[in-house]
Amino acid sequence: MAYYYWNANSQQQQQPYSTFPQFQFPTTQMQQTTPPTFSGAVTTPAGGAFTPSGPREESYIENILRLNRGKEAVFSFTIPSATGSGESGNTVLVRGVVVEAGRDHAVIREFETDHYFLFPMIYFDYARFEEPITYLRGGSVVNTTPRQS
């Protein structure tokens, strides 16, 4: 919405007052600038430079699930709209394997029915794996050795 004010001293109508900012566009042709290019090198506080090696993975849940594709686990999801009887209530337990995991979802294949489930990660509670999991610590993969029987 614009408001117009009248200045009695100048006998001119002033610019409208608006909640949106008013911009002045240049009348001369603007010079074209090229965006800066980056070499990928990082400068340290001491003035040295180094190039990071490869993309750095972080230990978010979806990355950990992705690293453990195909490993047997029990996955727990609490879904507000689910109804259950007994102690489980609205908690869904799925015994299966991770097929795929993304930032906001996990695809789980259930062993019992061979069904594939797409669960939003917002409902994910935990996963209980039957063997040691692969994990990221400081960008390095750890705990990749199988359990000794």
Side-chain angles (χ1 to χ4, degrees):
M1 176 174 272
Y3 298 98
Y4 293 88
Y5 296 105
W6 183 263
N7 185 346
N9 294 337
S10 66
Q11 298 297 320
Q12 293 181 6
Q13 190 174 7
Q14 292 183 352
Q15 291 292 327
Y17 171 76
S18 172
T19 56
F20 299 105
Q22 301 293 320
F23 296 102
Q24 296 266 340
F25 293 100
T27 55
T28 61
Q29 187 174 5
M30 295 179 62
Q31 293 180 352
Q32 187 130 7
T33 59
T34 58
T37 58
F38 298 100
S39 65
V42 177
T43 304
T44 64
F50 72 96
T51 303
S53 58
R56 180 177 156 91
E57 283 281 337
E58 305 226 8
S59 62
Y60 293 112
I61 292 173
E62 67 269 12
N63 292 338
I64 297 167
L65 290 176
R66 203 174 298 123
L67 284 171
N68 291 282
R69 283 187 205 125
K71 291 185 180 179
E72 185 177 338
V74 175
F75 302 91
S76 174
F77 296 90
T78 300
I79 301 174
S81 61
T83 57
S85 60
E87 294 178 16
S88 65
N90 60 351
T91 300
V92 177
L93 295 176
V94 178
R95 182 176 190 79
V97 294
V98 175
V99 176
E100 193 58 66
R103 177 189 289 173
D104 64 345
H105 68 279
V107 179
I108 309 293
R109 182 176 63 87
E110 184 181 38
F111 288 144
E112 187 177 315
T113 62
D114 204 34
H115 288 149
Y116 289 79
F117 292 94
L118 173 64
F119 285 105
M121 289 300 286
I122 193 169
Y123 300 138
F124 179 78
D125 293 326
Y126 67 89
R128 187 182 71 234
F129 287 88
E130 302 299 325
E131 60 185 280
I133 64 172
T134 304
Y135 185 77
L136 290 167
R137 182 178 298 141
S140 300
V141 177
V142 294
N143 294 341
T144 58
T145 56
R147 179 172 42 183
Q148 300 296 322
S149 299

